[in-house]
Amino acid sequence: MTAPILRLTHVTRTHGDGDTAVLALRGVSLDVFPGELVAVMGPSGSGKSTLLNLAGGLDKASSGEVWIEGQELGSLSALQLAALRRRRVGFVFQDFNLIPSLTASENVSLPLELDGTSVREARAAARAVLETVGVVDLADRYPDKMSGGQQQRVAIARALVGDRRLVLADEPTGALDSHTGEGVLRVLRERCDSGAAGLLVTHEARHAAWADRVVFLRDGVVVDTTGPAEVAEDLLVASEH
């Protein structure tokens, strides 16, 4: 059987201490396999973003284990964890997080350059992935000269450049019009179809319909999982009652 790219085993995350402690995740287990796009849904405060941050090594679990391609994140040093994120994990954030002083090409190539790739090779790889997401004509443009949709496509290109086996997207279409948002999801779907694993946090059932599987969180617990993404709307309705 194919091994998962991402594995979370009985993961908990507590914020704060004592009487003010908040248990954001309560023993969550989840596998995401190559070629699979998994949507995570749930009401505000259910633990969706916490789950994504733990999956990408941006936060540490209070207990349990997080594995990426056979490496347990809790066993890695800070330098090893940073290297794993640069090489294997792509993050797509709702607010883009592009560096204003860098062009589109420079933003996308930065992770490769930080990892020791020559500037020439990194910029060539950046242009190739910018072409994949349909904005290679923006390669020399700065973020403040782009629309929101264009910035998001550049952010996706940065998440996909190099051999990124795990793509994590936190409400990536939240600031976009419906047409541009569908284009963003199509790119994520194609990346997963080519062998990557994807984890998509969304509150939109129509966006979850792009996924192979929908995981529904409530109060830090997985309360339902479904194969056919089309029933995401039913899960949302059920959560309100």
Side-chain angles (χ1 to χ4, degrees), residues 65-145:
E65 296 177 335
V66 180
W67 297 76
I68 295 178
E69 290 196 305
Q71 288 192 285
E72 203 278 301
L73 303 194
S75 68
L76 302 180
S77 68
L79 287 177
Q80 290 172 324
L81 184 58
L84 181 144
R85 286 197 301 260
R86 285 198 308 271
R87 296 167 185 168
R88 302 189 193 179
V89 185
F91 297 92
V92 185
F93 301 100
Q94 184 174 345
D95 56 359
F96 316 140
N97 285 351
L98 298 177
I99 299 174
S101 60
L102 299 182
T103 65
S105 178
E106 291 167 344
N107 264 285
V108 174
S109 67
L110 184 61
L112 298 181
E113 293 180 43
L114 290 174
D115 208 35
T117 303
S118 71
V119 173
R120 182 176 180 178
E121 290 180 2
R123 297 291 167 80
R127 292 187 70 90
V129 73
L130 284 169
E131 184 169 9
T132 297
V133 300
V135 289
V136 69
D137 57 312
L138 304 178
D140 298 322
R141 193 175 298 183
Y142 291 94
D144 65 352
K145 302 299 182 183

Side-chain angles (χ1 to χ4, degrees), residues 182-195:
E182 292 295 308
V184 165
L185 291 165
R186 185 174 294 106
V187 171
L188 292 176
R189 177 71 262 177
E190 290 172 353
R191 183 66 171 200
C192 291
D193 289 342
S194 68

Side-chain angles (χ1 to χ4, degrees), residues 11-65:
V11 169
T12 67
R13 181 65 174 100
T14 303
H15 299 294
D17 299 300
D19 294 339
T20 62
V22 176
L23 192 55
L25 289 181
R26 308 165 184 258
V28 170
S29 295
L30 175 67
D31 289 346
V32 185
F33 293 88
E36 186 177 35
L37 177 60
V38 175
V40 180
M41 305 185 74
S44 178
S46 61
K48 302 187 300 297
S49 293
T50 298
L51 176 63
L52 208 67
N53 288 338
L54 291 174
L58 295 177
D59 193 8
K60 291 186 177 181
S62 300
S63 65
E65 296 177 335

